[in-house]
Every structure is written in C-alpha cells, then in structure tokens.
Amino acid sequence: MDVDAFVLANRPTWDRLDHLVKRKRHLTGAEVDELVDLYQRVSTHLSIVRSSSSDAVLVGKLSGLVARARAVVTGAHAPLWREFLRFWTVSFPVVVYRSRRWSVASGAAFYLVAAVIAVWIARSPEVQASVGTPSEIAQLVNHEFANYYSEHPASSFALQVWVNNAWVTAQCIAMSILLGIPIPYILFQNAANLGLNAGLMFEAGRGDVFLGLITPHGLIELTAVFVAAGVGMRLGWSVIAPGDRPRGQVLAEQGRAVIAVAIGLVAVLLVAGVIEGFVTPSSLPTIVRVAIGVAAFGAFVGYVVYFGRRAVAAGETGDIEDAPDVVPTG
C-alpha cells in the first residue's frame, strides 16, 4: 500500500472526525450521525494501516483518534465488574509476566548480595564489633529479632507492615520516572539489612529461628518488591531503547502498565502483611508457618504464569482497552 497516497486521500476524513470529537458537547443531530459514520470509516482505515504498514506514527495517531471518537460514540464505560475482572485476569498479571526477566534478575541479585553480606558478617568479628557490642548483639539475636513479630497486636502490626512494604514498593515504582536508575540502590539497602540480620543470627547458631520467622511472609513480600523493581527498570529501559516505535507511544503504554502493577501489588502486599501479622508470630509449628508462606508464594507465581501467559498469547500488553498509542500533547 502507498502510505502517502492513502494519507493524502483520507486526511480530510480524519481531520473532520477530529473536529467533531472536539466539539462533542455542541453537535447537532446531523453532526452526531456524521460522527458515527466517520468513526466507522476511520476504524476501517486504522485496520488497513495496521495490516499493511509499519508506520508506527500513523498507527498511533489513528489509534488515538479512534479511541477518542469511540468514547464519544458509546458515551458509556464498560460495567465496573467487567473492568475489575479484566484487571485481575489480564492487566495486572500480563504486565508482571512480561517483566518476569527483570524481576527474576532483581531477585537473584538481591539474594546474592544478602548472602555475601551475611557470610561476611558471620565470619568477621571486626564487622560484628562495628555493628554493636557483644551484649547488644546477644540481645538482638536472642530476644529482639523474634520479639519484633509479637510485641504489637497482630492487627495493628499487619497494618504497619503493609504500609512499610507498600512504601518500599512505591519507591521502586516511583523511581521508574528516573528511568529506574535508583532502583538497584533501593534493593541494595534492603538486601544489606537482610544480610546483616542473617549473618548475626546464623553466627549465633539461630539460623533456624531466622528462617522460620522470615520465610512465611518474606517469600511473597520480597517477590512483590522484585516485581515492582523489575517493572520500574523495564519501563526505564523501554524509554532508553523503544525499538521501532515512537518513544512517546512506548512511554504511554508502559506508564499505564506500571500504574496497573502498583495497584495490584497493594493486594499482594496486603496478603504479606496478614501473614506477617498473624502467621509469623503464631504458635503454629515452624513447618506449618513456612508451608503457608510457600503456598502463598506458589499461588501468586501460578496466578501470574497462568493468566499472564494466556494474555500474552492473546496479544495483550496490560494497557487499558482502546487507549491512545501516544502520550497526549494537548
């Protein structure tokens, strides 16, 4: 298809539709009929361009025009239950699934750093001395670490944990604005803290207590952080290397996807907070508490893989339905 000839022949139609959309509150009956007719014609034009041309700029422009015209023509949103269902079966899991390599890499680096720091601290009396006195360290490993999970009422502690974890995750999401560059530092800070406690606990021979208290909630809690980090860094890289699509189009699509992940992770972190508040400090046998954590982690991973893979196969990106392909400029 000759794209230039196609644009030349149909530009008046597109311009007229754009004009009617902008005047949507002041249309006459005849103009409303004209808008519907033009919307159908331009939708056909968009299908032709998508199937016959690789001009991403033209596709983006027509997609935005069709989306705005559709909003005027339909005059209503999809039922709330349908949007809710789509979010949890498409929008959230597909974005997490598409970012899985970034998230897995973030998790692997996190655990590697934590392990190295833990070994370093456990084998270095000099480093331990810089952390605290022997009595302070003994107080931490024998009392404070375990008491942290039980010194407050379970309900208020669960809320406190949820807020704290949401803040760490929100930091990773927010750093996507800066191309994800600060995210490794945020992960390093948390990995260093985990490695410090692990090193002191294992050196004192209380590694079983450490793992028994961290694992139930830590698996899904840290997974949520890794997902946020992976999505944030993926957005940053997409802006740096957008491929053959306009940078604005990629930024708009990925930015909306990041928002979907931020909303979805609120629920994931709520589950982590409930486990940390009610399961971790409970009197249940350690094997049962750990099994609950593993089950929650497995359920989340299975959910993401099942719905994410299915959405990818259907060509979904996690973007909102009928979203413009470019960032609005005015």
Side-chain angles (χ1 to χ4, degrees):
M1 180 182 73
D2 188 331
V3 176
D4 292 334
F6 186 82
V7 171
L8 184 63
N10 294 289
R11 183 179 295 279
T13 300
W14 305 340
D15 291 342
R16 177 58 178 170
L17 178 59
D18 181 61
H19 174 72
L20 293 175
V21 168
K22 290 178 179 178
R23 293 187 60 253
K24 59 185 178 182
R25 298 185 184 278
H26 308 284
L27 298 178
T28 65
E31 287 176 329
V32 170
D33 292 339
E34 181 184 7
L35 186 147
V36 173
D37 177 63
L38 292 178
Y39 159 67
Q40 294 173 337
R41 290 165 60 185
V42 177
S43 296
T44 301
H45 295 166
L46 175 59
S47 299
I48 294 173
V49 171
R50 278 178 167 165
S51 62
S52 306
S53 172
S54 59
D55 189 334
V57 175
L58 180 58
V59 170
K61 178 179 179 180
L62 290 181
S63 294
L65 178 57
V66 168
R68 289 187 292 115
R70 180 180 289 109
V72 176
V73 170
T74 58
H77 297 288
L80 183 60
W81 67 266
R82 182 176 177 274
E83 293 188 2
F84 180 83
L85 184 62
R86 173 178 167 78
F87 177 83
W88 290 110
T89 59
V90 177
S91 302
F92 176 58
V94 76
V95 177
V96 176
Y97 185 77
R98 285 182 177 275
S99 303
R100 64 191 183 281
R101 291 183 178 86
W102 290 89
S103 300
V104 170
S106 298
F110 180 96
Y111 285 123
L112 177 61
V113 169
V116 169
I117 291 177
V119 172
W120 177 48
I121 289 176
R123 295 183 176 180
S124 176
E126 296 80 7
V127 177
Q128 295 172 31
S130 69
V131 173
T133 64
S135 61
E136 290 173 337
I137 293 177
Q139 178 68 17
L140 170 65
V141 299
N142 293 319
H143 303 288
E144 292 181 359
F145 188 83
N147 290 345
Y148 168 77
Y149 296 99
S150 56
E151 61 185 3
H152 300 292
S155 57
S156 62
F157 182 58
L159 178 61
Q160 175 187 337
V161 168
W162 181 38
V163 172
N164 178 72
N165 294 336
W167 169 241
V168 174
T169 304
Q171 285 181 291
C172 292
I173 293 291
M175 289 305 103
S176 63
I177 299 174
L178 301 178
L179 306 183
I181 296 173
I183 292 177
Y185 177 68
I186 295 174
L187 292 178
F188 175 80
Q189 286 182 308
N190 286 273
N193 183 60
L194 180 66
L196 169 64
N197 285 281
L200 294 176
M201 293 291 286
F202 273 90
E203 196 278 333
R206 293 178 61 81
D208 57 334
V209 175
F210 174 81
L211 293 176
L213 292 172
I214 286 291
T215 305
H217 63 274
L219 282 174
I220 190 168
E221 175 183 292
L222 288 175
T223 298
V225 173
F226 302 151
V227 167
V231 170
M233 288 190 287
R234 182 172 181 252
L235 170 62
W237 182 251
S238 297
V239 174
I240 295 172
D244 59 355
R245 295 193 297 165
R247 185 169 279 105
Q249 178 182 340
V250 173
L251 178 60
E253 178 183 298
Q254 294 299 320
R256 289 187 291 264
V258 166
I259 293 174
V261 169
I263 296 172
L265 288 181
V266 169
V268 177
L269 289 171
L270 179 59
V271 173
V274 169
I275 293 175
E276 188 167 359
F278 293 91
V279 176
T280 298
S282 72
S283 58
L284 292 171
T286 299
I287 187 66
V288 175
R289 290 186 281 112
V290 170
I292 292 174
V294 172
F297 169 75
F300 177 69
V301 172
Y303 155 75
V304 168
V305 171
Y306 175 76
F307 286 105
R309 182 181 294 170
R310 190 172 69 170
V312 167
E316 296 283 356
T317 64
D319 201 358
I320 59 177
E321 291 183 296
D322 302 324
D325 288 341
V326 295
V327 175
T329 57

